[in-house]
Amino acid sequence: MYLEGTVEWAPAGLTTLPITVLPLSINLGVPGTFRIWRDAIGPAGVNVFEITDTSSLLNLTLSALVLPLTVTLAFNPTTTSFHFVDQNVPPGTHTYFLTVDVPPTSRGITTSAFVFTAEEINPNPPV
């Protein structure tokens, strides 16, 4: 089964961080892990593919240069594209699912466009 997808996504909303101590390291991107599952999402299904992409920073705003300060991060839309051939498909009819996971510290993501397609390259043998 040939699987292909393109997702345009961005972290949801603005991320605001209160800073009270320095030095501080700030991650300037939010990773998103895209997974393709066969037959079900999670332990009941088969994770046949995954890829991680990271959003890019649009801007960073500092409220002041003395402590405490607030940093606000805004992110650009990111386009993640992938293709994969699921070569070990058992006979029969199957359903594929596309999911995305982001770190629990983010507010989730928004998608502005996505395409997920599947095409059978060779027919499965009869059941």
Side-chain angles (χ1 to χ4, degrees):
M1 184 68 65
Y2 178 76
L3 305 161
E4 185 173 46
T6 299
V7 181
E8 185 176 86
W9 63 282
L14 299 174
T15 301
T16 302
L17 306 169
I19 297 174
T20 56
V21 294
L22 293 175
L24 175 71
S25 174
I26 299 174
N27 185 356
L28 297 180
V30 174
T33 301
F34 296 85
R35 291 184 176 88
I36 298 176
W37 300 87
R38 184 187 330 119
D39 297 326
I41 297 170
V46 178
N47 181 359
V48 297
F49 173 80
E50 70 180 58
I51 186 171
T52 299
D53 200 0
T54 302
S55 65
S56 60
L57 186 68
L58 175 62
N59 65 42
L60 176 137
T61 305
L62 297 173
S63 65
L65 295 178
V66 294
L67 296 178
L69 60 96
T70 301
V71 175
T72 302
L73 306 173
F75 298 92
N76 280 313
T78 300
T79 301
T80 302
S81 296
F82 51 86
H83 61 272
F84 174 75
V85 177
D86 187 4
Q87 297 180 1
N88 300 313
V89 183
T93 302
H94 300 280
T95 303
Y96 288 87
F97 302 88
L98 174 63
T99 64
V100 61
D101 293 315
V102 293
T105 54
S106 73
R107 295 181 179 178
I109 67 166
T110 59
T111 57
S112 48
F114 63 90
V115 176
F116 181 49
T117 59
E119 180 179 348
E120 188 174 34
I121 298 170
N122 292 318
N124 288 332
V127 178

PDB file of all heavy atoms in Angstrom, residues 25-61:
ATOM      1  N   SER A  25      17.173  28.449  28.781  1.00  0.00           N
ATOM      2  CA  SER A  25      17.174  27.930  27.422  1.00  0.00           C
ATOM      3  C   SER A  25      15.719  27.798  26.969  1.00  0.00           C
ATOM      4  O   SER A  25      14.902  27.206  27.675  1.00  0.00           O
ATOM      5  CB  SER A  25      17.866  26.566  27.394  1.00  0.00           C
ATOM      6  OG  SER A  25      17.755  25.999  26.117  1.00  0.00           O
ATOM      7  N   ILE A  26      15.390  28.369  25.813  1.00  0.00           N
ATOM      8  CA  ILE A  26      14.030  28.317  25.273  1.00  0.00           C
ATOM      9  C   ILE A  26      14.065  27.571  23.948  1.00  0.00           C
ATOM     10  O   ILE A  26      14.847  27.909  23.065  1.00  0.00           O
ATOM     11  CB  ILE A  26      13.449  29.734  25.059  1.00  0.00           C
ATOM     12  CG1 ILE A  26      13.383  30.489  26.370  1.00  0.00           C
ATOM     13  CG2 ILE A  26      12.079  29.661  24.412  1.00  0.00           C
ATOM     14  CD1 ILE A  26      12.960  31.940  26.212  1.00  0.00           C
ATOM     15  N   ASN A  27      13.207  26.563  23.816  1.00  0.00           N
ATOM     16  CA  ASN A  27      13.091  25.839  22.561  1.00  0.00           C
ATOM     17  C   ASN A  27      12.316  26.717  21.586  1.00  0.00           C
ATOM     18  O   ASN A  27      11.176  27.090  21.851  1.00  0.00           O
ATOM     19  CB  ASN A  27      12.360  24.511  22.801  1.00  0.00           C
ATOM     20  CG  ASN A  27      12.310  23.661  21.561  1.00  0.00           C
ATOM     21  OD1 ASN A  27      12.752  24.062  20.495  1.00  0.00           O
ATOM     22  ND2 ASN A  27      11.778  22.467  21.693  1.00  0.00           N
ATOM     23  N   LEU A  28      12.928  27.050  20.456  1.00  0.00           N
ATOM     24  CA  LEU A  28      12.291  27.961  19.502  1.00  0.00           C
ATOM     25  C   LEU A  28      11.551  27.226  18.392  1.00  0.00           C
ATOM     26  O   LEU A  28      11.345  27.755  17.317  1.00  0.00           O
ATOM     27  CB  LEU A  28      13.338  28.914  18.917  1.00  0.00           C
ATOM     28  CG  LEU A  28      13.987  29.833  19.950  1.00  0.00           C
ATOM     29  CD1 LEU A  28      14.998  30.745  19.285  1.00  0.00           C
ATOM     30  CD2 LEU A  28      12.941  30.639  20.703  1.00  0.00           C
ATOM     31  N   GLY A  29      11.128  26.025  18.651  1.00  0.00           N
ATOM     32  CA  GLY A  29      10.328  25.255  17.709  1.00  0.00           C
ATOM     33  C   GLY A  29       9.536  24.222  18.475  1.00  0.00           C
ATOM     34  O   GLY A  29       9.917  23.809  19.569  1.00  0.00           O
ATOM     35  N   VAL A  30       8.413  23.810  17.921  1.00  0.00           N
ATOM     36  CA  VAL A  30       7.586  22.778  18.542  1.00  0.00           C
ATOM     37  C   VAL A  30       7.610  21.562  17.619  1.00  0.00           C
ATOM     38  O   VAL A  30       7.218  21.661  16.450  1.00  0.00           O
ATOM     39  CB  VAL A  30       6.143  23.271  18.761  1.00  0.00           C
ATOM     40  CG1 VAL A  30       5.256  22.139  19.261  1.00  0.00           C
ATOM     41  CG2 VAL A  30       6.119  24.444  19.719  1.00  0.00           C
ATOM     42  N   PRO A  31       8.087  20.391  18.124  1.00  0.00           N
ATOM     43  CA  PRO A  31       8.092  19.208  17.270  1.00  0.00           C
ATOM     44  C   PRO A  31       6.704  18.585  17.172  1.00  0.00           C
ATOM     45  O   PRO A  31       5.936  18.590  18.129  1.00  0.00           O
ATOM     46  CB  PRO A  31       9.064  18.260  17.993  1.00  0.00           C
ATOM     47  CG  PRO A  31       8.999  18.672  19.422  1.00  0.00           C
ATOM     48  CD  PRO A  31       8.697  20.162  19.424  1.00  0.00           C
ATOM     49  N   GLY A  32       6.404  18.067  16.008  1.00  0.00           N
ATOM     50  CA  GLY A  32       5.172  17.301  15.786  1.00  0.00           C
ATOM     51  C   GLY A  32       5.550  15.955  15.198  1.00  0.00           C
ATOM     52  O   GLY A  32       6.291  15.897  14.217  1.00  0.00           O
ATOM     53  N   THR A  33       5.082  14.876  15.798  1.00  0.00           N
ATOM     54  CA  THR A  33       5.362  13.534  15.292  1.00  0.00           C
ATOM     55  C   THR A  33       4.107  12.994  14.610  1.00  0.00           C
ATOM     56  O   THR A  33       3.078  12.808  15.255  1.00  0.00           O
ATOM     57  CB  THR A  33       5.812  12.587  16.425  1.00  0.00           C
ATOM     58  OG1 THR A  33       6.985  13.131  17.024  1.00  0.00           O
ATOM     59  CG2 THR A  33       6.108  11.194  15.894  1.00  0.00           C
ATOM     60  N   PHE A  34       4.223  12.782  13.314  1.00  0.00           N
ATOM     61  CA  PHE A  34       3.122  12.265  12.500  1.00  0.00           C
ATOM     62  C   PHE A  34       3.270  10.752  12.409  1.00  0.00           C
ATOM     63  O   PHE A  34       4.359  10.250  12.143  1.00  0.00           O
ATOM     64  CB  PHE A  34       3.155  12.889  11.107  1.00  0.00           C
ATOM     65  CG  PHE A  34       2.921  14.370  11.132  1.00  0.00           C
ATOM     66  CD1 PHE A  34       3.960  15.251  11.360  1.00  0.00           C
ATOM     67  CD2 PHE A  34       1.648  14.885  10.947  1.00  0.00           C
ATOM     68  CE1 PHE A  34       3.746  16.611  11.409  1.00  0.00           C
ATOM     69  CE2 PHE A  34       1.420  16.243  10.988  1.00  0.00           C
ATOM     70  CZ  PHE A  34       2.473  17.108  11.222  1.00  0.00           C
ATOM     71  N   ARG A  35       2.168  10.039  12.634  1.00  0.00           N
ATOM     72  CA  ARG A  35       2.184   8.575  12.592  1.00  0.00           C
ATOM     73  C   ARG A  35       1.063   8.070  11.682  1.00  0.00           C
ATOM     74  O   ARG A  35      -0.026   8.629  11.672  1.00  0.00           O
ATOM     75  CB  ARG A  35       1.989   7.993  13.989  1.00  0.00           C
ATOM     76  CG  ARG A  35       3.152   8.221  14.908  1.00  0.00           C
ATOM     77  CD  ARG A  35       2.946   7.536  16.270  1.00  0.00           C
ATOM     78  NE  ARG A  35       4.111   7.701  17.101  1.00  0.00           N
ATOM     79  CZ  ARG A  35       4.316   8.746  17.909  1.00  0.00           C
ATOM     80  NH1 ARG A  35       3.416   9.688  18.018  1.00  0.00           N
ATOM     81  NH2 ARG A  35       5.422   8.819  18.630  1.00  0.00           N
ATOM     82  N   ILE A  36       1.375   6.988  10.965  1.00  0.00           N
ATOM     83  CA  ILE A  36       0.353   6.279  10.187  1.00  0.00           C
ATOM     84  C   ILE A  36       0.120   4.943  10.880  1.00  0.00           C
ATOM     85  O   ILE A  36       1.066   4.194  11.148  1.00  0.00           O
ATOM     86  CB  ILE A  36       0.790   6.053   8.723  1.00  0.00           C
ATOM     87  CG1 ILE A  36       1.014   7.390   8.016  1.00  0.00           C
ATOM     88  CG2 ILE A  36      -0.264   5.222   7.985  1.00  0.00           C
ATOM     89  CD1 ILE A  36       1.545   7.252   6.605  1.00  0.00           C
ATOM     90  N   TRP A  37      -1.151   4.688  11.175  1.00  0.00           N
ATOM     91  CA  TRP A  37      -1.573   3.457  11.843  1.00  0.00           C
ATOM     92  C   TRP A  37      -2.411   2.625  10.877  1.00  0.00           C
ATOM     93  O   TRP A  37      -3.203   3.174  10.115  1.00  0.00           O
ATOM     94  CB  TRP A  37      -2.434   3.788  13.063  1.00  0.00           C
ATOM     95  CG  TRP A  37      -1.751   4.620  14.089  1.00  0.00           C
ATOM     96  CD1 TRP A  37      -1.679   5.986  14.125  1.00  0.00           C
ATOM     97  CD2 TRP A  37      -1.044   4.166  15.239  1.00  0.00           C
ATOM     98  NE1 TRP A  37      -0.975   6.392  15.233  1.00  0.00           N
ATOM     99  CE2 TRP A  37      -0.580   5.301  15.939  1.00  0.00           C
ATOM    100  CE3 TRP A  37      -0.779   2.894  15.754  1.00  0.00           C
ATOM    101  CZ2 TRP A  37       0.146   5.202  17.111  1.00  0.00           C
ATOM    102  CZ3 TRP A  37      -0.061   2.805  16.926  1.00  0.00           C
ATOM    103  CH2 TRP A  37       0.398   3.951  17.585  1.00  0.00           C
ATOM    104  N   ARG A  38      -2.245   1.303  10.961  1.00  0.00           N
ATOM    105  CA  ARG A  38      -3.085   0.402  10.176  1.00  0.00           C
ATOM    106  C   ARG A  38      -4.128  -0.238  11.100  1.00  0.00           C
ATOM    107  O   ARG A  38      -3.799  -0.772  12.139  1.00  0.00           O
ATOM    108  CB  ARG A  38      -2.252  -0.701   9.514  1.00  0.00           C
ATOM    109  CG  ARG A  38      -3.084  -1.597   8.626  1.00  0.00           C
ATOM    110  CD  ARG A  38      -2.380  -2.823   8.045  1.00  0.00           C
ATOM    111  NE  ARG A  38      -0.974  -2.722   7.794  1.00  0.00           N
ATOM    112  CZ  ARG A  38      -0.061  -3.508   8.378  1.00  0.00           C
ATOM    113  NH1 ARG A  38      -0.407  -4.421   9.265  1.00  0.00           N
ATOM    114  NH2 ARG A  38       1.212  -3.380   8.066  1.00  0.00           N
ATOM    115  N   ASP A  39      -5.384  -0.146  10.724  1.00  0.00           N
ATOM    116  CA  ASP A  39      -6.539  -0.810  11.347  1.00  0.00           C
ATOM    117  C   ASP A  39      -7.062  -0.166  12.632  1.00  0.00           C
ATOM    118  O   ASP A  39      -8.234  -0.282  12.923  1.00  0.00           O
ATOM    119  CB  ASP A  39      -6.280  -2.297  11.575  1.00  0.00           C
ATOM    120  CG  ASP A  39      -6.058  -3.028  10.253  1.00  0.00           C
ATOM    121  OD1 ASP A  39      -6.685  -2.639   9.252  1.00  0.00           O
ATOM    122  OD2 ASP A  39      -5.249  -3.972  10.219  1.00  0.00           O
ATOM    123  N   ALA A  40      -6.237   0.492  13.429  1.00  0.00           N
ATOM    124  CA  ALA A  40      -6.707   1.177  14.645  1.00  0.00           C
ATOM    125  C   ALA A  40      -5.589   2.086  15.133  1.00  0.00           C
ATOM    126  O   ALA A  40      -4.418   1.890  14.803  1.00  0.00           O
ATOM    127  CB  ALA A  40      -7.091   0.174  15.733  1.00  0.00           C
ATOM    128  N   ILE A  41      -5.965   3.071  15.937  1.00  0.00           N
ATOM    129  CA  ILE A  41      -4.985   3.985  16.532  1.00  0.00           C
ATOM    130  C   ILE A  41      -4.595   3.436  17.899  1.00  0.00           C
ATOM    131  O   ILE A  41      -5.454   3.074  18.696  1.00  0.00           O
ATOM    132  CB  ILE A  41      -5.577   5.403  16.666  1.00  0.00           C
ATOM    133  CG1 ILE A  41      -5.910   5.962  15.280  1.00  0.00           C
ATOM    134  CG2 ILE A  41      -4.619   6.328  17.404  1.00  0.00           C
ATOM    135  CD1 ILE A  41      -6.706   7.243  15.313  1.00  0.00           C
ATOM    136  N   GLY A  42      -3.304   3.379  18.172  1.00  0.00           N
ATOM    137  CA  GLY A  42      -2.840   2.919  19.469  1.00  0.00           C
ATOM    138  C   GLY A  42      -2.522   1.435  19.489  1.00  0.00           C
ATOM    139  O   GLY A  42      -2.265   0.822  18.447  1.00  0.00           O
ATOM    140  N   PRO A  43      -2.542   0.833  20.688  1.00  0.00           N
ATOM    141  CA  PRO A  43      -2.102  -0.563  20.847  1.00  0.00           C
ATOM    142  C   PRO A  43      -2.888  -1.579  20.015  1.00  0.00           C
ATOM    143  O   PRO A  43      -2.352  -2.627  19.671  1.00  0.00           O
ATOM    144  CB  PRO A  43      -2.297  -0.836  22.338  1.00  0.00           C
ATOM    145  CG  PRO A  43      -2.331   0.500  22.987  1.00  0.00           C
ATOM    146  CD  PRO A  43      -2.871   1.450  21.967  1.00  0.00           C
ATOM    147  N   ALA A  44      -4.126  -1.291  19.671  1.00  0.00           N
ATOM    148  CA  ALA A  44      -4.922  -2.234  18.869  1.00  0.00           C
ATOM    149  C   ALA A  44      -4.530  -2.200  17.392  1.00  0.00           C
ATOM    150  O   ALA A  44      -4.876  -3.096  16.636  1.00  0.00           O
ATOM    151  CB  ALA A  44      -6.408  -1.925  19.019  1.00  0.00           C
ATOM    152  N   GLY A  45      -3.808  -1.159  16.966  1.00  0.00           N
ATOM    153  CA  GLY A  45      -3.402  -1.025  15.575  1.00  0.00           C
ATOM    154  C   GLY A  45      -1.922  -1.288  15.400  1.00  0.00           C
ATOM    155  O   GLY A  45      -1.213  -1.671  16.327  1.00  0.00           O
ATOM    156  N   VAL A  46      -1.451  -1.075  14.176  1.00  0.00           N
ATOM    157  CA  VAL A  46      -0.041  -1.248  13.849  1.00  0.00           C
ATOM    158  C   VAL A  46       0.499   0.097  13.392  1.00  0.00           C
ATOM    159  O   VAL A  46      -0.011   0.681  12.429  1.00  0.00           O
ATOM    160  CB  VAL A  46       0.147  -2.304  12.730  1.00  0.00           C
ATOM    161  CG1 VAL A  46       1.611  -2.437  12.357  1.00  0.00           C
ATOM    162  CG2 VAL A  46      -0.440  -3.634  13.138  1.00  0.00           C
ATOM    163  N   ASN A  47       1.525   0.599  14.087  1.00  0.00           N
ATOM    164  CA  ASN A  47       2.185   1.840  13.684  1.00  0.00           C
ATOM    165  C   ASN A  47       3.147   1.480  12.554  1.00  0.00           C
ATOM    166  O   ASN A  47       4.184   0.876  12.794  1.00  0.00           O
ATOM    167  CB  ASN A  47       2.926   2.439  14.880  1.00  0.00           C
ATOM    168  CG  ASN A  47       3.629   3.745  14.543  1.00  0.00           C
ATOM    169  OD1 ASN A  47       3.592   4.218  13.422  1.00  0.00           O
ATOM    170  ND2 ASN A  47       4.277   4.311  15.522  1.00  0.00           N
ATOM    171  N   VAL A  48       2.783   1.844  11.307  1.00  0.00           N
ATOM    172  CA  VAL A  48       3.591   1.441  10.163  1.00  0.00           C
ATOM    173  C   VAL A  48       4.608   2.493   9.745  1.00  0.00           C
ATOM    174  O   VAL A  48       5.540   2.200   9.002  1.00  0.00           O
ATOM    175  CB  VAL A  48       2.701   1.049   8.955  1.00  0.00           C
ATOM    176  CG1 VAL A  48       1.837  -0.164   9.303  1.00  0.00           C
ATOM    177  CG2 VAL A  48       1.848   2.200   8.474  1.00  0.00           C
ATOM    178  N   PHE A  49       4.440   3.744  10.219  1.00  0.00           N
ATOM    179  CA  PHE A  49       5.341   4.818   9.791  1.00  0.00           C
ATOM    180  C   PHE A  49       5.244   5.974  10.768  1.00  0.00           C
ATOM    181  O   PHE A  49       4.183   6.242  11.327  1.00  0.00           O
ATOM    182  CB  PHE A  49       4.931   5.304   8.387  1.00  0.00           C
ATOM    183  CG  PHE A  49       5.685   6.508   7.906  1.00  0.00           C
ATOM    184  CD1 PHE A  49       6.959   6.382   7.367  1.00  0.00           C
ATOM    185  CD2 PHE A  49       5.130   7.771   8.000  1.00  0.00           C
ATOM    186  CE1 PHE A  49       7.656   7.496   6.928  1.00  0.00           C
ATOM    187  CE2 PHE A  49       5.822   8.889   7.557  1.00  0.00           C
ATOM    188  CZ  PHE A  49       7.090   8.751   7.012  1.00  0.00           C
ATOM    189  N   GLU A  50       6.381   6.680  10.969  1.00  0.00           N
ATOM    190  CA  GLU A  50       6.330   7.941  11.702  1.00  0.00           C
ATOM    191  C   GLU A  50       7.471   8.843  11.270  1.00  0.00           C
ATOM    192  O   GLU A  50       8.519   8.376  10.829  1.00  0.00           O
ATOM    193  CB  GLU A  50       6.332   7.736  13.210  1.00  0.00           C
ATOM    194  CG  GLU A  50       7.587   7.243  13.832  1.00  0.00           C
ATOM    195  CD  GLU A  50       7.433   7.099  15.340  1.00  0.00           C
ATOM    196  OE1 GLU A  50       6.545   6.357  15.793  1.00  0.00           O
ATOM    197  OE2 GLU A  50       8.219   7.739  16.054  1.00  0.00           O
ATOM    198  N   ILE A  51       7.216  10.140  11.366  1.00  0.00           N
ATOM    199  CA  ILE A  51       8.203  11.162  11.032  1.00  0.00           C
ATOM    200  C   ILE A  51       7.967  12.344  11.966  1.00  0.00           C
ATOM    201  O   ILE A  51       6.827  12.662  12.299  1.00  0.00           O
ATOM    202  CB  ILE A  51       8.095  11.596   9.545  1.00  0.00           C
ATOM    203  CG1 ILE A  51       9.221  12.549   9.171  1.00  0.00           C
ATOM    204  CG2 ILE A  51       6.739  12.194   9.241  1.00  0.00           C
ATOM    205  CD1 ILE A  51       9.299  12.838   7.669  1.00  0.00           C
ATOM    206  N   THR A  52       9.052  12.988  12.385  1.00  0.00           N
ATOM    207  CA  THR A  52       8.945  14.166  13.246  1.00  0.00           C
ATOM    208  C   THR A  52       9.452  15.381  12.489  1.00  0.00           C
ATOM    209  O   THR A  52      10.497  15.332  11.842  1.00  0.00           O
ATOM    210  CB  THR A  52       9.753  13.963  14.546  1.00  0.00           C
ATOM    211  OG1 THR A  52       9.220  12.843  15.247  1.00  0.00           O
ATOM    212  CG2 THR A  52       9.675  15.191  15.446  1.00  0.00           C
ATOM    213  N   ASP A  53       8.702  16.459  12.571  1.00  0.00           N
ATOM    214  CA  ASP A  53       9.081  17.742  11.972  1.00  0.00           C
ATOM    215  C   ASP A  53       8.942  18.801  13.055  1.00  0.00           C
ATOM    216  O   ASP A  53       8.212  18.605  14.032  1.00  0.00           O
ATOM    217  CB  ASP A  53       8.160  18.058  10.785  1.00  0.00           C
ATOM    218  CG  ASP A  53       8.756  19.085   9.826  1.00  0.00           C
ATOM    219  OD1 ASP A  53       9.877  19.561  10.076  1.00  0.00           O
ATOM    220  OD2 ASP A  53       8.085  19.401   8.834  1.00  0.00           O
ATOM    221  N   THR A  54       9.641  19.908  12.911  1.00  0.00           N
ATOM    222  CA  THR A  54       9.616  20.963  13.922  1.00  0.00           C
ATOM    223  C   THR A  54       9.153  22.264  13.292  1.00  0.00           C
ATOM    224  O   THR A  54       9.621  22.646  12.212  1.00  0.00           O
ATOM    225  CB  THR A  54      11.015  21.147  14.546  1.00  0.00           C
ATOM    226  OG1 THR A  54      11.410  19.898  15.114  1.00  0.00           O
ATOM    227  CG2 THR A  54      11.003  22.191  15.635  1.00  0.00           C
ATOM    228  N   SER A  55       8.233  22.944  13.978  1.00  0.00           N
ATOM    229  CA  SER A  55       7.731  24.235  13.497  1.00  0.00           C
ATOM    230  C   SER A  55       8.844  25.271  13.578  1.00  0.00           C
ATOM    231  O   SER A  55       9.798  25.122  14.343  1.00  0.00           O
ATOM    232  CB  SER A  55       6.551  24.687  14.352  1.00  0.00           C
ATOM    233  OG  SER A  55       7.013  24.921  15.674  1.00  0.00           O
ATOM    234  N   SER A  56       8.705  26.324  12.811  1.00  0.00           N
ATOM    235  CA  SER A  56       9.692  27.400  12.862  1.00  0.00           C
ATOM    236  C   SER A  56       9.101  28.615  13.570  1.00  0.00           C
ATOM    237  O   SER A  56       7.894  28.846  13.538  1.00  0.00           O
ATOM    238  CB  SER A  56      10.150  27.772  11.453  1.00  0.00           C
ATOM    239  OG  SER A  56       9.055  28.214  10.690  1.00  0.00           O
ATOM    240  N   LEU A  57       9.969  29.378  14.192  1.00  0.00           N
ATOM    241  CA  LEU A  57       9.551  30.549  14.954  1.00  0.00           C
ATOM    242  C   LEU A  57       9.250  31.710  14.011  1.00  0.00           C
ATOM    243  O   LEU A  57      10.023  32.000  13.105  1.00  0.00           O
ATOM    244  CB  LEU A  57      10.658  30.936  15.934  1.00  0.00           C
ATOM    245  CG  LEU A  57      10.347  32.044  16.908  1.00  0.00           C
ATOM    246  CD1 LEU A  57       9.291  31.597  17.905  1.00  0.00           C
ATOM    247  CD2 LEU A  57      11.605  32.464  17.644  1.00  0.00           C
ATOM    248  N   LEU A  58       8.111  32.364  14.208  1.00  0.00           N
ATOM    249  CA  LEU A  58       7.755  33.560  13.453  1.00  0.00           C
ATOM    250  C   LEU A  58       8.334  34.795  14.135  1.00  0.00           C
ATOM    251  O   LEU A  58       8.992  35.611  13.523  1.00  0.00           O
ATOM    252  CB  LEU A  58       6.235  33.693  13.333  1.00  0.00           C
ATOM    253  CG  LEU A  58       5.701  34.959  12.667  1.00  0.00           C
ATOM    254  CD1 LEU A  58       6.186  35.053  11.230  1.00  0.00           C
ATOM    255  CD2 LEU A  58       4.185  34.978  12.729  1.00  0.00           C
ATOM    256  N   ASN A  59       8.085  34.921  15.443  1.00  0.00           N
ATOM    257  CA  ASN A  59       8.695  36.024  16.179  1.00  0.00           C
ATOM    258  C   ASN A  59       8.764  35.712  17.665  1.00  0.00           C
ATOM    259  O   ASN A  59       8.080  34.824  18.160  1.00  0.00           O
ATOM    260  CB  ASN A  59       7.987  37.357  15.918  1.00  0.00           C
ATOM    261  CG  ASN A  59       6.572  37.377  16.430  1.00  0.00           C
ATOM    262  OD1 ASN A  59       6.284  36.906  17.516  1.00  0.00           O
ATOM    263  ND2 ASN A  59       5.656  37.924  15.646  1.00  0.00           N
ATOM    264  N   LEU A  60       9.606  36.484  18.348  1.00  0.00           N
ATOM    265  CA  LEU A  60       9.805  36.360  19.780  1.00  0.00           C
ATOM    266  C   LEU A  60       9.690  37.768  20.350  1.00  0.00           C
ATOM    267  O   LEU A  60      10.345  38.690  19.871  1.00  0.00           O
ATOM    268  CB  LEU A  60      11.195  35.776  20.041  1.00  0.00           C
ATOM    269  CG  LEU A  60      11.625  35.650  21.478  1.00  0.00           C
ATOM    270  CD1 LEU A  60      12.305  34.312  21.677  1.00  0.00           C
ATOM    271  CD2 LEU A  60      12.552  36.765  21.865  1.00  0.00           C
ATOM    272  N   THR A  61       8.840  37.948  21.353  1.00  0.00           N
ATOM    273  CA  THR A  61       8.635  39.262  21.956  1.00  0.00           C
ATOM    274  C   THR A  61       9.006  39.199  23.429  1.00  0.00           C
ATOM    275  O   THR A  61       8.533  38.323  24.149  1.00  0.00           O
ATOM    276  CB  THR A  61       7.158  39.688  21.826  1.00  0.00           C
ATOM    277  OG1 THR A  61       6.787  39.631  20.451  1.00  0.00           O
ATOM    278  CG2 THR A  61       6.942  41.093  22.357  1.00  0.00           C
TER     279      THR A  61
END
